[in-house]
Structure formats: structure tokens, C-alpha cells
Amino acid sequence: MTKDYYPFISHEEEYKGYVIYVENNPDSYRGGYEYSVSDGEAIIEDGLVFDVEDALQSARSFIDSLG
């Protein structure tokens, strides 16, 4: 039986004054990575993707769309 494996990731970075956080999805059956964008007070965007680079790109794109 083949089992999908997602390496453990816990990544935090600042981008244009916002904080991006990426971590493994806690649902081990679904896999992938959760990301969130915070303005320092609250999470203003979050999502689930299956690649760390996609998570960072999605978060940065969201921040860029804010103007």
C-alpha cells in the first residue's frame, strides 16, 4: 500500500507588512498544507493547498491584490 507523505513544515515570514504562516494540514487523510495571512490582529485569508510553494504563492498573491 502506498501512503502519501508530506514533510513536516512550520514556516512563518513577513511579506509587505503581513505575516504568512504555512503548516501541515492536521487532517492526515487529506494531507497538504494550510496557509494563513495575518495583518497582526486577525487572520484575513487562509487556504489549503498541496504544495508549500503554492501556499506561499497564494498568500503573496492575496497580499498583492490588497493594493
Side-chain angles (χ1 to χ4, degrees), residues 1-60:
M1 181 170 145
T2 302
K3 182 177 180 179
D4 289 333
Y5 175 74
Y6 291 93
F8 176 76
I9 298 292
S10 180
H11 177 81
E12 183 176 339
E13 71 177 58
E14 187 173 330
Y15 181 74
K16 295 185 177 181
Y18 295 90
V19 178
I20 299 171
Y21 189 71
V22 178
E23 65 182 354
N24 293 67
N25 181 5
D27 181 349
S28 62
Y29 291 104
R30 211 167 161 190
Y33 301 95
E34 293 182 331
Y35 70 89
S36 63
V37 176
S38 171
D39 63 2
E41 295 182 16
I43 294 174
I44 57 173
E45 173 72 356
D46 60 5
L48 175 66
V49 295
F50 293 98
D51 183 80
V52 173
E53 289 303 317
D54 287 344
L56 292 170
Q57 182 59 41
S58 295
R60 291 176 185 146

